[in-house]
Amino acid sequence: MAKSTINIVWLKRDLRLSDHQPLAEATHSGIPTLLLYLFEPSLLADPHYGDRHWRFVGQSLQDLDRQLSQFNSQVLVLKEEALTAFELLSQRFEIAAVYSHQEVGLALTFARDKQLARRFRQRQIPWHEAAFGAVIRGARDRAGWDRHWHKAMRAALAQPLLSQQTLWPSAHWQGLSSWPLPSQWLDKQAGMQTGGESMAWRTLDDFFAGRGRDYYRAISKPQQSRSACSRMSAYLAWGNISLRQMYQQLLAHWQVKGFRRSLTALSSRLHWHCHFIQKFESEHQMQQRCLNRGYEDYPFDDDPKLLSAWQQGRTGIPLVDACMRCLHASGYINFRMRAMLVSVLCHHFNLDWRAGVTHLARLFLDFEPGIHYPQFQMQASVTGINTIRIYNPTKQAQEHDPEGQFIHRWLPELRQVPPPLLFQPWQLTPLEAQLYQLAPESIYLNPLVDIEQTAKAARQRLWAYRKQPQVRADRQRILARHVRPR
Ligand SMILES: Cc1cc2nc3c(=O)[nH]c(=O)nc-3n(C[C@H](O)[C@H](O)[C@H](O)COP(=O)(O)OP(=O)(O)OC[C@H]3O[C@@H](n4cnc5c(N)ncnc54)[C@H](O)[C@@H]3O)c2cc1C
């Protein structure tokens, strides 16, 4: 029997049906389109990812299926490596073309895409890859990049043509069936955001309906930021909404009274989103080595005990531990607290950024390789071009959690200790410690490091190292490649 001819839209981190260039191109081509998602065993085993990510993906796929059911269609979900999956599909179908977004991902997916492109060329299957946001593949520098960002963000949305005629029916998968999602991914997890295009829009609408009014005031505060920030990062990272859709919604609300300062701040951050991903696109070796090669010989320490305490939120420094435990439970903290966690790891503890970068990726529900790696390295001060920022966790707590709300929420052992004592419990007298129910052996009376001393040592080390000739030499190369020409 002759094989049916189909297009395949390979969904990756673009789990939505609207403003979707590959889906729009495929469905306008006149050939029925099959939507495919692959749970690749190599990615499932990758240490950057954990159940929280795959659960979010599963929820997003369920949301797509709900929308597609009116067209008698569904996403075909396979648990296979990409090469095997496309082999299976080409045995059953005549594949007219494959459509997807370009992926600015880990070394693993970069290598997979190169291998797959070779295979498609051998099989004469065209693979149409659409640009990801405003990221320019292969850009050598930033000349004209800002203009490009604005143009991409203001362009018309790419709307697919969804109908029973344009989508391939799930009843005709030629013997293939969707991989059933494991039961542990099906339940919602309390405290963790739920994936899906519908939830993405609900979250964004809610931001513009009111909670975003205080955004610019609350952005640095660990507790208030949880409701006043957009909380769109996971939805953007998994593509439940496009950056362009979010930016155009921002423009649509530009005149709303009381929002202007918040929207100005948000607009810059949407710009940063692609700016950082562009950095990673242009220099993906950042996954393994310092952006500034001069830092490859930086004298980091190796202290598994400190690393483990940081990972578990048991360092004895209240705000640091509260942030880490909050991340374990909810997958989210705001920007400033992320930066502080990295600063404590790499400055106060003097541990290599590579020792912590995967740990935070696995905890961040919004893990986006192109933002995560450049941000991590910037906060670790291994770029040689950014200001060195050594965060003082006590000061951060005094300024951004003055009532101790956030610390009390995540550190039950400190619930009896009132602010401002809460921020430096090691200064409690034995009598106060007893009064506030802290056992003498508590890590909060005996923190692993003295943050004043470690900050001082880090400052001296970092500023001296920045003057090294190899750091200065690579700085020029980085500026030419990643910074906008004036
Ligand atoms: C060490 C470190 C690692 C990070 N890793 C990630 C990551 O893996 N994924 C991720 O999405 N963000 C990451 N960020 C950036 C930032 O912390 C989050 O985007 C933000 O906290 C998400 O919350 P929100 O959606 O409420 O942000 P909002 O403040 O509401 O901003 C809206 C969107 O703008 C983008 N954005 C905001 N701040 C930044 C920024 N500083 N740099 C780049 N884009 C930004 C995000 O897409 C965000 O969703 C990291 C920051 C640091 C310091």
Side-chain angles (χ1 to χ4, degrees), residues 298-331:
Y298 187 81
F300 286 116
D301 293 334
D302 177 21
D303 188 330
K305 191 171 154 223
L306 276 182
L307 178 62
S308 165
W310 179 82
Q311 289 174 332
Q312 301 313 316
R314 308 224 169 258
T315 64
I317 309 166
L319 187 59
V320 173
D321 292 353
C323 285
M324 195 59 91
R325 293 198 216 169
C326 166
L327 269 176
H328 277 274
S330 74

Side-chain angles (χ1 to χ4, degrees), residues 237-448:
W238 296 100
N240 289 158
I241 189 168
S242 71
L243 194 74
R244 174 163 51 197
Q245 286 173 308
M246 183 160 166
Y247 184 66
Q248 295 192 359
Q249 284 299 306
L250 180 153
L251 294 181
H253 290 84
W254 194 247
Q255 303 298 344
V256 178
K257 209 162 161 251
F259 265 82
R260 186 59 64 85
R261 282 182 77 171
S262 286
L263 297 192
T264 306
L266 182 63
S267 173
S268 309
R269 280 153 185 85
L270 297 186
H271 201 96
W272 297 348
H273 172 277
C274 296
H275 163 75
F276 280 96
I277 299 178
Q278 183 70 60
K279 267 194 196 188
F280 196 60
E281 157 68 28
S282 304
E283 199 142 350
H284 63 91
Q285 300 89 335
M286 282 180 96
Q287 189 184 331
Q288 286 91 17
R289 63 155 174 76
C290 302
L291 174 67
N292 187 312
R293 292 167 195 149
Y295 282 92
E296 282 303 302
D297 296 324
Y298 187 81
F300 286 116
D301 293 334
D302 177 21
D303 188 330
K305 191 171 154 223
L306 276 182
L307 178 62
S308 165
W310 179 82
Q311 289 174 332
Q312 301 313 316
R314 308 224 169 258
T315 64
I317 309 166
L319 187 59
V320 173
D321 292 353
C323 285
M324 195 59 91
R325 293 198 216 169
C326 166
L327 269 176
H328 277 274
S330 74
Y332 179 86
I333 44 164
N334 61 329
F335 171 80
R336 183 174 284 260
M337 296 301 119
R338 295 182 196 211
M340 182 197 68
L341 283 181
V342 177
S343 173
V344 168
L345 178 82
C346 302
H347 301 149
H348 294 274
F349 292 179
N350 197 34
L351 299 179
D352 194 325
W353 60 273
R354 281 162 283 224
V357 71
T358 322
H359 176 76
L360 286 193
R362 202 164 50 243
L363 292 185
F364 290 170
L365 188 60
D366 59 25
F367 169 54
E368 171 66 73
I371 300 179
H372 192 65
Y373 273 92
Q375 274 289 357
F376 211 107
Q377 290 206 23
M378 187 166 110
Q379 306 305 336
S381 309
V382 293
T383 64
I385 58 164
N386 304 104
T387 314
I388 294 173
R389 282 212 181 87
I390 300 174
Y391 286 81
N392 177 333
T394 302
K395 201 161 151 267
Q396 292 300 318
Q398 286 162 341
E399 286 177 9
H400 299 297
D401 188 26
E403 314 288 323
Q405 239 182 330
F406 181 76
I407 297 179
H408 280 155
R409 162 81 181 80
W410 295 104
L411 302 185
E413 56 270 61
L414 291 181
R415 278 204 190 133
Q416 305 301 324
V417 187
L421 296 175
L422 174 66
F423 308 130
Q424 301 175 84
W426 49 86
Q427 292 185 348
L428 294 179
T429 62
L431 198 64
E432 285 170 328
Q434 200 180 14
L435 179 69
Y436 300 130
Q437 296 169 23
L438 269 183
E441 65 279 8
S442 163
I443 44 167
Y444 297 102
L445 298 176
N446 314 281
L448 294 179

